[in-house]
Amino acid sequence: MSFRVVRSSKFRHVYGQALKREQCYDNIRVSKSSWDSTFCAVNPKFLAIIVESAGGGAFIVLPHNKVGRIPADHPLVGGHKGPVLDIAWCPHNDNVIASGSEDCVVKVWQIPDGGLSRTLTDPVVDLLYHQRRVGLVLWHPSALNVLLTAGSDNQVVIWNVGTGEVLIHMDCHPDIVFSACFNWDGSKLVTTCKDKKIRIIDPRTGDIEAEALCHEGSKATRAIFLRHGLIFTTGFNRSSERQYSLRAPDALSEPIVMVDLDTSNGVMFPLYDPDTNMVYLCGKGDSVIRYFEITPEPPFVHYINTFQTPDPQRGIGLMPKRGCDVSSCEIARFYRLNNSGLCQTITMTVPRKSELFQEDLYPDTLSDEAAISAEEWIGGTNADPCLISLKGGYVSQSQGQQLSVTKKSNVLDKPKPNILNSKKTAANHDQSNNNNISGGAETTDSGSKKYESASQPVQVASAVPEVTAADLKAIQDEIRKLKAVIVKHENRIRALEAQAKARDEENNIKAEKDSVEDSKRLNPDEV
């Protein structure tokens, strides 16, 4: 007599449930772009969806409580001159989002807490480097304001968003980069490329540490770093069958697991939850969401179940664990875009009878606080992301924060108390106000520009700068020079006006004489 041993797992009975239509978001003109993107980004405050827009590119940002039918004239974020291809929320500030577009520009936006009341066209900063369309934007998991972008010019660029400067430029890909992902502490980068290869790169130097054939098919592949260092990939084989694999970084060419799934032709997006070690596979054009659990023991990737829906999906977004409902044992929440314009909300729940906080389901999760600064990271410092406990509910650390633009500071920094109380900082702030009275632009020491959001007021310094006698004398001399220039121009204008008047009088007299002579010549009898 044989016995079948069932694997013990607390996620074996996870089930998905779609919310009612009135609890979802309807009447959204989802982008029809053929670019392989999820078209959706979500965080605990907002839902952002790339939409069709005439005369350029745009995406819509909705607070989570604005459910139901969305008006056709709802305000958009629309500053791009070409269709938007990818968007990503900053993990360390829930009001900041980055977007890449076909106009070769990456823009970073600040969204006010209550959502948009009018169309937003002024970004916080423009990032200009790529020569062709930008189809991938990705934030660093632990360093503040470090952003990775990749374009169709085969270039990968890492930015310091706070200064608008390029930190690292990587030119090691011979073709279009399909995907990129940092590891847990952001010290390594894995990319997949159209040349069918997967690469592990040092993001500070751009050096390739390992590369191998990813999947044999020519269609788009995806790769993500798992929390404990392994790499999960999705792609196609030679027969265009979809497959996934699990690999170790030190043996990329020898997959630990390689499994064929089906014959569909839609690109599969792996969405990863580091807290539960679960991977959700969402294919473009599919009507299902498959989910797997990754474990240290064979067969390593355990299939759990499939969530079935009647409509194919156009795009999908995964809510960070901070935005899940811990009281109902919700471990994941998806925002699924349909071709009909419906954004469907799907919850993944572990069935539990107890209403108490389930510590085994909710270990400490990713916080919205940065562990290190961009300068520390580029200097060689590595740090794991900051973690928080969800017990008692999550409270956003960026609630009510305003954008602060000061010289030698980061435009995306969350304001700190008394940050502008020193006289030196106040003098810098006064100088920045003189430089951008009409435009809101400030030039840093390195020559880059910062832009303040139209919806976010700049903090004003509380200390008054000291003015010396030498400063007053210099100002008075400058005023005297300007007055002299004005008087000179006024005299010149008067002289030109007098010349023009004399010329007009002379022309009038000549015209009268010509008229008299013409009349005499035509009528000699009257003379």
Side-chain angles (χ1 to χ4, degrees):
M1 185 175 182
S2 62
F3 294 93
R4 182 184 177 188
V5 178
V6 178
R7 185 179 67 92
S8 176
S9 172
K10 53 181 170 286
F11 304 112
R12 202 156 51 89
H13 301 291
V14 170
Y15 67 95
Q17 184 176 11
L19 299 186
K20 296 180 180 178
R21 195 178 185 97
E22 55 267 22
Q23 296 175 289
C24 301
Y25 309 84
D26 205 355
N27 194 36
I28 298 174
R29 303 186 307 274
V30 183
S31 172
K32 294 182 173 59
S33 172
S34 60
W35 188 257
D36 290 323
S37 170
T38 57
F39 297 138
C40 180
V42 62
N43 68 12
K45 281 188 179 181
F46 301 106
L47 167 67
I49 301 172
I50 302 175
V51 296
E52 284 290 304
S53 176
F59 57 95
I60 189 170
V61 176
L62 302 170
H64 288 296
N65 59 2
K66 191 175 181 62
V67 295
R69 189 174 180 86
I70 307 301
D73 59 349
H74 190 279
L76 304 174
V77 180
H80 285 286
K81 297 179 181 179
V84 178
L85 300 179
D86 197 19
I87 52 178
W89 288 104
C90 177
H92 308 125
N93 192 333
D94 288 339
N95 295 77
V96 173
I97 187 171
S99 59
S101 168
E102 284 193 6
D103 61 6
C104 310
V105 181
V106 179
K107 295 178 182 286
V108 181
W109 311 85
Q110 174 98 14
I111 309 298
D113 275 333
L116 298 177
S117 58
R118 59 185 179 85
T119 295
L120 182 62
T121 57
D122 297 325
V124 177
V125 64
D126 286 328
L127 305 178
L128 302 171
Y129 184 91
H130 292 282
Q131 300 299 314
R132 298 185 65 185
R133 60 184 178 182
V134 181
L136 176 63
V137 291
L138 175 70
W139 293 91
H140 193 281
S142 59
L144 182 64
N145 299 332
V146 175
L147 179 69
L148 178 145
T149 63
S152 296
D153 53 1
N154 309 339
Q155 309 296 309
V156 177
V157 181
I158 296 180
W159 306 81
N160 182 349
V161 174
T163 60
E165 297 173 337
V166 175
L167 295 179
I168 302 294
H169 163 236
M170 290 177 257
D171 189 14
C172 56
H173 296 87
D175 215 323
I176 296 176
V177 178
F178 285 140
S179 72
C181 181
F182 287 103
N183 66 346
W184 179 247
D185 63 359
S187 60
K188 304 293 180 186
L189 179 70
V190 60
T191 64
T192 58
C193 182
K194 196 174 181 180
D195 66 352
K196 305 180 184 181
K197 287 187 177 181
I198 180 173
R199 293 173 174 86
I200 296 179
I201 303 172
D202 185 341
R204 293 187 183 92
T205 63
D207 296 335
I208 298 176
E209 297 184 353
E211 67 177 355
L213 179 67
C214 187
H215 293 274
E216 294 181 346
S218 58
K219 296 181 181 179
T221 56
R222 300 269 159 174
I224 56 173
F225 260 116
L226 304 184
R227 180 168 183 170
H228 301 296
L230 297 179
I231 297 174
F232 187 91
T233 70
T234 61
F236 297 80
N237 61 15
R238 285 185 182 175
S239 304
S240 293
E241 294 178 339
R242 295 196 296 191
Q243 54 184 193
Y244 67 81
S245 72
L246 187 68
R247 303 165 190 256
D250 53 355
L252 281 182
S253 58
E254 300 174 0
I256 302 172
V257 174
M258 179 76 79
V259 176
D260 294 338
L261 277 178
D262 53 29
T263 56
S264 179
N265 58 2
V267 176
M268 282 193 301
F269 299 100
L271 303 178
Y272 176 58
D273 180 4
D275 299 334
T276 60
N277 251 355
M278 291 182 63
V279 174
Y280 302 84
L281 295 187
C282 312
K284 207 167 186 179
D286 289 0
S287 57
V288 298
I289 299 176
R290 299 180 178 90
Y291 41 105
F292 304 79
E293 184 182 1
I294 312 295
T295 61
E297 68 275 358
F300 304 105
V301 181
H302 301 269
Y303 169 76
I304 296 178
N305 208 340
T306 298
F307 174 76
Q308 182 79 41
T309 57
D311 303 317
Q313 58 206 13
R314 179 95 182 121
I316 198 160
L318 175 63
M319 169 73 79
K321 191 59 67 70
R322 293 181 284 123
C324 292
D325 182 9
V326 298
S327 61
S328 63
C329 297
E330 179 186 40
I331 62 170
R333 185 186 304 170
F334 294 94
Y335 291 80
R336 185 174 172 276
L337 307 179
N338 295 339
N339 291 323
S340 62
L342 175 69
C343 178
Q344 190 177 29
T345 305
I346 299 170
T347 64
M348 295 289 179
T349 307
V350 176
R352 293 279 176 94
K353 291 183 179 180
S354 175
E355 296 181 357
L356 299 176
F357 179 74
Q358 307 294 313
E359 294 186 0
D360 61 329
L361 296 182
Y362 300 103
D364 289 353
T365 190
L366 294 173
S367 168
D368 60 349
E369 292 293 325
I372 54 176
S373 66
E375 291 76 14
E376 291 172 335
W377 178 78
I378 196 63
T381 303
N382 293 323
D384 290 344
C386 295
L387 304 178
I388 56 170
S389 173
L390 295 180
K391 190 172 185 178
Y394 162 74
V395 178
S396 173
Q397 302 298 315
S398 59
Q399 184 72 26
Q401 299 291 349
Q402 293 182 347
L403 190 66
S404 175
V405 182
T406 55
K407 191 161 184 164
K408 294 184 180 178
S409 73
N410 196 314
V411 295
L412 299 184
D413 271 343
K414 299 175 185 177
K416 299 178 182 177
N418 300 326
I419 193 171
L420 296 178
N421 283 343
S422 68
K423 294 180 180 179
K424 181 178 178 181
T425 311
N428 289 340
H429 182 81
D430 185 69
Q431 181 183 354
S432 69
N433 285 341
N434 291 336
N435 289 340
N436 54 44
I437 290 174
S438 59
E442 171 188 83
T443 304
T444 64
D445 294 340
S446 60
S448 60
K449 287 188 177 180
K450 303 176 184 177
Y451 299 88
E452 61 186 58
S453 172
S455 61
Q456 298 296 319
V458 178
Q459 294 184 351
V460 181
S462 59
V464 179
E466 292 182 351
V467 180
T468 63
D471 294 334
L472 287 175
K473 188 176 183 306
I475 293 173
Q476 291 171 352
D477 292 341
E478 190 69 25
I479 291 174
R480 280 195 292 270
K481 291 179 182 178
L482 291 174
K483 285 183 177 179
V485 171
I486 292 172
V487 171
K488 181 179 179 181
H489 282 295
E490 286 180 347
N491 294 335
R492 183 170 177 269
I493 290 171
R494 290 195 188 100
L496 292 173
E497 288 178 345
Q499 292 177 7
K501 186 176 180 181
R503 191 182 303 111
D504 291 341
E505 291 177 355
E506 184 180 347
N507 291 335
N508 291 336
I509 293 173
K510 184 178 179 181
E512 290 178 359
K513 289 182 179 180
D514 292 342
S515 176
V516 171
E517 291 178 358
D518 290 342
S519 61
K520 288 180 179 180
R521 186 172 58 255
L522 295 174
N523 302 307
D525 297 338
E526 293 182 3
V527 177

